[in-house]
Amino acid sequence: MTEKLPRIKEPMLGRERKRQAPKGRRADSEVLIHLQQLLGDASRSPDMLIEHLHVIQDHLGHLPIAYLTALAKEMGLALTQVFEVATFYHHFDVVKESDTSPAELTVRVCDGLSCEIAGATELLKNISNQLGPRVRVVAAPCVGRCNKAPVAVVGQVPIHQATQTSIQACIDRGIYVDEHSEFMSVQAYQQAGGYALLNACVKGQHSRNDIISVLEQSGLRGLGGAGFPLGRKWRIVSQEPGPRLMAVNIDEGEPGTFKDRVLLERDPHRFLEGMLIAAWAVGIEKIYIYLRDEYHGCRAMLKQQIELLQHQPPMSNMPEIILRRGAGAYICGEESAMIESIEGKRGIPRLRPPFVAQVGLFGRPTLEHNFESLYWVREILEKGADWFSSQGKNGRKGLRTFSVSGRVKQAGIKLAPAGITIQELIDDYCGGMLEGHRFYAYLPGGASGGILPATLNQIPLDFDTLQAYGCFIGSAAVVVLSDHDTATNAARNLMNFFKNESCGQCTPCRVGTAKALALIEKPKWDLPLLAELSQVMRDASICGLGQAAPNAVECVVKYFPQELTKAAHEHVEQQRS
């Protein structure tokens, strides 16, 4: 029998101490009390994390680590979870104990392509050290006002066609909150026939199947960029088991795009009625509207109008409508990244399958839509599928709302037939080119859609017409360049945007955009390496950001070789001299 050995007691290293609290930072009691007062009776559920971060940021002007620690305790979350979300979004300023608090006021100058060619770079340089120590000046990606370039945002107030004088005047006024007031009220909308169609649907005068069939026959496609047929999407989601949710994307961060903001400012209830008709037809129980943070005036207005509808609902059993606020992240325009953000997380695109229609918000089947797609619902249902499909030119069907900016006399949103050419759009809708400017090139679909030369001015602008040229229409954001611009500089601007906006989840996009920018900033481009890099980004990136980022570069190589030759020649001459 084996002899049982005596148990040896391990030596005690130092004095034993019983832990009094968990490891890590502890919430300051005074900060916690102040935080509780700020949040009031708002829900502490995890999906409210970004909303609560906004409350702190709006009140303090930044996010001290002490308040993030208190927020983690208050919401029952790990501090790492709160910290990773707070540092993901551009509009949150996280400040550690060792950091200097940011300036009292932030002025953001848009450096998007439309603003850059309108003088934003020079404006940014001029005001960086001229506005005083209490003002911080930073470059910002597109703020959705490309037709009024260059644009600066003082606090939350947008300054159109900004100058140092107009920015300083806004600072001196001391009003840093944008309040939008001019829009069609619910009373005016109802007097014009608004909500009558919704009431007819709810009262059984139209069947759900008939409504969906009309939209299918109209050919209306999603107008946020992907172009998926709207009626088909309704039918697919309606066949999924309930409860079903809806997520509305008004986070139009694509440089060159501003149509959703303009339409929302003009006629918010046309969109809201289309949204509620969709909810009725598909059987939606709750609606989340995701609005970009740069649209502060729209948010205040939309919040007010939603509250009016909830107090006087235009339909029985109206779904709950929840307005969520973005925090400055272009990637959240991607549907699954937006859903992650609504859930209070970083805006990281999901892998597919499953698709959002099957497993979306909070794991439920979700009808995801762009704002403008819903804006058209009422008019198409009232006038019929044939009315919409009969519009169009050059063999295309329907209408398109183009966001036009750049070197034209009359920039803005232009409602035009699908299939219109860029030349027709410039001549017939924009008053022609600016004086002293000759049409040179254009972006048919924003930053992602590529760049085409003026010689290709007869291509119908619509879904499925531009792919053969290495481009696509996306959200119909058209930026017009002149002989005062170069396609190579445009490509550098766009790739810098993608580098800054990559969520960082996948290596091909995170590293590829940075590497591509470094390559095209050189006078002589390494074309074989760029081609290989572009192919890897297209094949291996998780979402459309990385897949489409090389478009502008490849278009420059294909359509503007003379610019590359000239730049290389000038570089050689400089070296010789």
Side-chain angles (χ1 to χ4, degrees):
M1 179 181 292
T2 305
E3 185 178 355
K4 187 175 181 181
L5 299 176
R7 184 176 180 182
I8 301 175
K9 186 177 181 181
E10 295 180 2
M12 182 168 49
L13 301 177
R15 182 181 297 176
E16 289 185 338
R17 293 180 180 178
K18 186 176 181 181
R19 189 176 301 282
Q20 300 298 318
K23 287 184 178 181
R25 294 177 180 272
R26 299 182 64 184
D28 181 275
S29 58
E30 292 185 4
V31 171
L32 183 59
I33 291 172
H34 185 221
L35 174 68
Q36 291 168 342
Q37 293 171 344
L38 288 176
L39 301 186
D41 58 359
S43 168
R44 268 53 166 182
S45 62
D47 61 289
M48 291 294 291
L49 175 56
I50 294 173
E51 295 297 307
H52 294 339
L53 289 171
H54 275 302
V55 171
I56 301 170
Q57 172 97 13
D58 289 346
H59 184 77
L60 300 177
H62 57 283
L63 296 175
I65 194 69
Y67 278 79
L68 298 186
T69 305
L71 184 60
K73 178 178 177 60
E74 182 69 9
M75 299 185 71
L77 301 173
L79 178 57
T80 53
Q81 184 176 348
V82 174
F83 189 82
E84 71 174 7
V85 172
T87 54
F88 180 83
Y89 295 92
H90 297 315
H91 292 181
F92 291 143
D93 295 316
V94 177
V95 178
K96 301 176 185 178
E97 290 93 336
S98 58
D99 294 341
T100 302
S101 297
E104 180 183 339
L105 179 65
T106 297
V107 174
R108 291 183 168 87
V109 178
C110 176
D111 64 359
L113 181 58
S114 298
C115 284
E116 181 183 271
I117 65 177
T121 303
E122 194 66 24
L123 175 64
L124 186 62
K125 186 187 305 180
N126 290 341
I127 69 171
S128 291
N129 299 312
Q130 301 298 320
L131 299 180
R134 60 182 285 265
V135 180
R136 177 182 63 158
V137 179
V138 297
C142 182
V143 296
R145 292 171 170 83
C146 317
N147 57 320
K148 303 292 186 181
V151 179
V153 182
V154 179
Q156 293 175 324
V157 180
I159 309 296
H160 296 161
Q161 296 165 335
T163 64
Q164 181 173 339
T165 300
S166 61
I167 293 171
Q168 185 66 60
C170 182
I171 293 172
D172 294 341
R173 285 197 301 272
I175 300 174
Y176 309 131
V177 178
D178 182 34
E179 296 293 348
H180 181 77
S181 59
E182 294 182 7
F183 60 92
M184 181 177 282
S185 66
V186 62
Q187 295 84 2
Y189 182 73
Q190 289 174 328
Q191 290 173 1
Y195 292 113
L197 177 60
L198 174 63
N199 288 326
C201 291
V202 173
K203 291 177 181 178
Q205 297 175 22
H206 303 285
S207 72
R208 288 178 168 85
N209 183 65
D210 288 346
I211 290 293
I212 294 175
S213 294
V214 170
L215 292 170
E216 288 175 327
Q217 294 163 15
S218 72
L220 177 64
R221 295 171 65 168
L223 298 171
F228 193 86
L230 183 136
R232 192 193 308 173
K233 183 182 285 191
W234 287 23
R235 194 172 296 281
I236 289 170
V237 178
S238 69
Q239 293 170 351
E240 294 292 326
R244 307 176 197 93
L245 305 176
M246 184 190 297
V248 182
N249 189 342
I250 321 182
D251 191 59
E252 55 175 358
E254 182 77 14
T257 309
F258 50 91
K259 61 182 177 62
D260 292 351
R261 175 187 59 79
V262 174
L263 294 174
L264 176 59
E265 288 174 341
R266 291 178 181 176
D267 197 353
H269 287 279
R270 183 173 296 272
F271 148 68
L272 291 170
E273 182 172 12
M275 181 184 76
L276 291 174
I277 290 172
W280 168 81
V282 178
I284 299 296
E285 296 192 8
K286 188 178 292 188
I287 302 169
Y288 289 81
I289 301 175
Y290 190 84
L291 180 65
R292 72 180 306 196
D293 194 30
E294 289 86 346
Y295 294 171
H296 180 82
C298 288
R299 184 170 63 256
M301 176 270 291
L302 194 54
K303 181 174 182 288
Q304 178 193 60
Q305 297 308 301
I306 290 172
E307 289 174 352
L308 285 174
L309 288 184
Q310 290 171 334
H311 287 135
Q312 297 181 329
M315 62 183 292
S316 57
N317 299 318
M318 191 175 84
E320 183 181 2
I321 303 172
I322 300 168
L323 183 60
R324 286 291 167 86
R325 179 178 174 183
Y330 166 72
I331 191 63
C332 291
E334 196 275 341
E335 62 176 5
S336 65
M338 176 189 68
I339 283 174
E340 289 286 298
S341 189
I342 291 173
E343 292 181 356
K345 306 170 188 173
R346 295 178 299 160
I348 301 292
R350 297 176 179 177
L351 294 172
R352 299 177 181 83
F355 296 97
V356 167
Q358 302 162 315
V359 182
L361 263 172
F362 308 111
R364 300 309 311 162
T366 301
L367 180 65
E368 190 277 339
H369 267 313
N370 163 259
F371 165 89
E372 193 197 354
S373 306
L374 297 170
Y375 187 86
W376 279 105
V377 166
R378 173 191 161 188
E379 193 161 5
I380 290 174
L381 293 176
E382 287 180 340
K383 296 181 178 179
D386 292 341
W387 166 79
F388 186 78
S389 62
S390 66
Q391 313 288 327
K393 302 185 69 171
N394 300 311
R396 310 306 298 176
K397 295 182 179 181
L399 293 165
R400 295 287 175 269
T401 305
F402 294 91
S403 304
V404 185
S405 61
R407 308 292 195 177
V408 293
K409 288 181 179 178
Q410 299 167 12
I413 65 166
K414 311 295 178 180
L415 181 60
I420 192 173
T421 67
I422 183 63
Q423 197 64 59
E424 292 169 328
L425 193 61
I426 293 171
D427 294 342
D428 300 339
Y429 289 80
C430 300
M433 299 292 293
L434 288 172
E435 294 297 332
H437 290 258
R438 179 173 56 84
F439 181 32
Y440 176 67
Y442 66 106
L443 282 66
S448 306
I451 307 174
L452 291 172
T455 52
L456 294 177
N457 62 348
Q458 296 301 319
I459 303 171
L461 298 179
D462 196 17
F463 296 112
D464 310 321
T465 61
L466 294 157
Q467 281 84 336
Y469 303 90
C471 299
F472 58 83
I473 193 169
S475 59
V478 176
V479 183
V480 179
L481 305 180
S482 77
D483 53 351
H484 292 217
D485 311 304
T486 66
T488 49
N489 282 340
R492 291 180 182 117
N493 176 285
L494 302 176
M495 190 59 73
N496 181 63
F497 170 81
F498 289 125
K499 178 183 77 72
N500 293 332
E501 294 299 322
S502 173
C503 74
Q505 178 179 197
C506 63
T507 302
C509 178
R510 181 184 67 251
V511 176
T513 51
K515 180 64 175 178
L517 179 60
L519 288 172
I520 66 175
E521 283 179 335
K522 296 180 179 179
K524 185 177 181 180
W525 291 11
D526 186 336
L527 300 184
L529 184 55
L530 275 171
E532 182 180 357
L533 181 61
S534 296
Q535 193 62 50
V536 170
M537 292 173 68
R538 291 190 189 285
D539 292 343
S541 294
I542 290 174
C543 80
L545 191 154
Q547 294 163 10
N551 283 347
V553 173
E554 293 188 344
C555 284
V556 170
V557 174
K558 184 176 182 179
Y559 299 115
F560 303 92
Q562 73 281 1
E563 290 190 17
L564 300 180
T565 302
K566 180 181 178 183
H569 177 73
E570 290 175 347
H571 179 62
V572 170
E573 291 298 318
Q574 288 175 357
Q575 288 182 322
R576 287 176 179 174
S577 61

